Amino acid sequence: MGRAFLVVIDSVGIGGAPDADAYFNGTVPDTGANTLGHILEACAAGQAEDGRSGPLAIPNMIEMGVLDAMALANGAQVAPGPFGAATEQSRGKDTPSGHWELAGVPVPWDWHYFPDTQPAFPPEVVEAVCAAAGVDGILGNCHASGTDIMAACGAEHIRTGYPICYTSADSVFQIAAHEDHFGLDRLLDLCRAVAPVLHDMRVGRVIARPFVGLEGAFERTTNRRDFAITPPAPILSNWVQDSGARVYGIGKVGDIFSQQGFDEVREGTDAALMEHLSDLVGEAEEGSLTFANFVEFDSLYGHRRDVSGYARHLEWFDRALGPLCAGLRPGDLLVITADHGNDPTWVGTDHTRERVPVLVAGGGGAPLGLMGFIDVAALVARHLGVRPR
């Protein structure tokens, strides 16, 4: 049976979603978005030279079949192999939708999205935030880039004490506040307090976005927390725990699943998370599941439309992948996939609706082909000999 390692490289889509025309960045549909494909093209054309140079170097993922998976996703005929291109059935193109379905539970409802107007939030949401924070008002109240609104409203936030509230094309309610002037614990308590109000509206996540620094030089910290709706049914990690085996979480998976289904969660930057993953490849218990998310592809490079940065991070991940695969024990399974796209060459700053790669090391090497997100959970469950419930 061995162990299973399910690794989500957040937002590394491969194009080809059949319903991409129903999803938009502003007024532009996601038809034609291809996160990995467009990064490959930009690197080959010398358009991703900041901190790196030349064609995208990801030999380990290529050996595992990522280019074949991308070709398959976009309608090409390829020889079968231990790789797949997965299509999401849930509505949406955000983190909870993707992760829940990868873990075996498609989203059974439509998420609530706030209108791209100002104000964006209904009075009852504003009132709930003000009551929980003990303030008379909020700042923002609109769709915005997190870094832009932090720069625009940070000084007034410090002066007034009003939290900065904003959203995006995703089903999220985000609250930014200064760690020193507002307080990190106070921000987390505020998000925790208002989350039930937003969850009742079917808003997927309330996100705490702490920052530090002085006007003109504000910087986000690594103390982000996501307060997500609890999945409506047991997920893959619950199935594994029910079998008596241990489940390790790495990164924001604990927050995504409301801390349900994990025996321990290890957090930090992507660099720290890679160390945690490497450690668990060496020491995780037999029969266990390790469920990891590497978020910086999305948070630092996709949303910021930083092609060079995204390429650097792909190359960094690929360099670490070789030792990870070499450290697997006989009988282990490593699955690398993604939860949505975030094409850094695309318009806007939002996620893109795409198919995602499914790359496998170990586990017998059975061909995968076109598949659903939900089939990833089934693949891992079969390997570990656990049953869905």
Side-chain angles (χ1 to χ4, degrees):
M1 175 175 61
R3 307 168 299 169
F5 300 86
L6 176 55
V7 178
V8 178
I9 44 179
D10 201 300
S11 85
V12 184
I14 53 174
D19 57 356
D21 59 346
Y23 295 84
F24 291 81
N25 266 262
T27 61
V28 178
D30 287 343
T31 309
N34 186 333
T35 300
L36 180 60
H38 288 155
I39 293 170
L40 282 161
E41 291 174 1
C43 291
Q47 297 169 350
E49 299 289 302
D50 184 6
R52 60 162 310 281
S53 186
L56 185 68
I58 50 170
N60 290 305
M61 282 191 282
I62 289 173
E63 184 176 353
M64 293 178 73
V66 72
L67 298 185
D68 293 315
M70 184 169 65
L72 185 66
N74 290 278
Q77 296 292 319
V78 299
F83 56 82
T87 305
E88 184 175 7
Q89 72 182 67
S90 302
R91 292 284 298 170
K93 51 177 181 174
D94 194 12
T95 297
S97 299
H99 279 78
W100 288 11
E101 194 167 328
L102 289 169
V105 181
V107 179
W109 55 67
D110 287 333
W111 297 109
H112 178 81
Y113 302 92
F114 293 109
D116 192 1
T117 59
Q118 194 163 4
F121 308 126
E124 59 269 25
V125 170
V126 176
E127 291 167 6
V129 173
C130 290
V135 296
D136 297 326
I138 65 172
L139 303 175
N141 202 343
C142 60
H143 281 234
S145 157
T147 51
D148 289 347
I149 202 165
M150 179 178 65
C153 298
E156 187 176 2
H157 159 72
I158 292 172
R159 181 178 62 81
T160 63
Y162 292 177
I164 304 169
C165 301
Y166 63 104
T167 187
S168 71
D170 297 322
S171 182
V172 295
F173 184 81
Q174 304 190 75
I175 307 178
H178 199 286
E179 287 196 3
D180 299 324
H181 294 276
F182 191 88
L184 176 60
D185 289 342
R186 184 183 175 199
L187 171 61
L188 298 180
D189 288 343
L190 169 59
C191 292
R192 191 176 293 110
V194 301
V197 176
L198 279 301
H199 293 167
D200 285 346
M201 299 171 62
R202 298 301 191 210
V203 175
R205 289 179 292 165
V206 175
I207 305 177
R209 292 288 198 175
F211 63 95
V212 294
L214 302 175
E215 183 175 5
F218 293 129
E219 294 182 355
R220 284 175 168 174
T221 74
T222 58
N223 293 318
R224 163 185 169 162
R225 282 288 308 278
D226 292 34
F227 298 84
I229 296 179
T230 301
I235 59 169
L236 173 64
S237 58
N238 299 122
W239 311 343
V240 175
Q241 284 184 327
D242 288 348
S243 76
R246 191 168 182 82
V247 180
Y248 306 90
I250 295 178
K252 68 175 185 176
V253 290
D255 285 349
I256 294 167
F257 296 110
S258 300
Q259 308 301 325
Q260 302 297 309
F262 297 93
D263 294 293
E264 65 174 277
V265 177
R266 306 183 185 187
E267 300 180 339
T269 64
D270 274 11
L273 298 182
M274 186 59 75
E275 293 182 7
H276 293 317
L277 180 56
S278 178
D279 290 343
L280 285 169
V281 167
E283 67 192 31
E285 296 179 6
E286 285 298 308
S288 65
L289 168 66
T290 297
F291 196 162
N293 171 281
F294 288 88
V295 71
E296 290 176 8
F297 294 98
D298 184 58
S299 62
L300 296 186
Y301 308 116
H303 285 299
R304 300 182 188 184
R305 298 302 189 244
D306 181 352
V307 181
S308 294
Y310 211 128
R312 290 196 308 271
H313 213 56
L314 283 165
E315 291 171 336
W316 163 80
F317 180 84
D318 194 84
R319 287 192 297 272
L321 184 57
L324 287 178
C325 291
L328 296 174
R329 302 172 189 168
D332 283 348
L333 173 72
L334 169 67
V335 179
I336 298 170
T337 188
D339 53 343
H340 50 72
N342 200 346
D343 189 338
T345 73
W346 212 243
V347 299
T349 60
D350 297 322
H351 297 150
T352 43
R353 179 79 168 185
E354 301 178 43
R355 283 177 164 141
V356 301
V358 183
L359 311 178
V360 173
L368 299 176
L370 288 175
M371 57 194 298
F373 278 33
I374 196 169
D375 295 323
V376 173
L379 173 69
V380 175
R382 283 195 303 271
H383 177 76
L384 293 177
V386 303
R387 299 184 63 180
R389 65 174 174 92

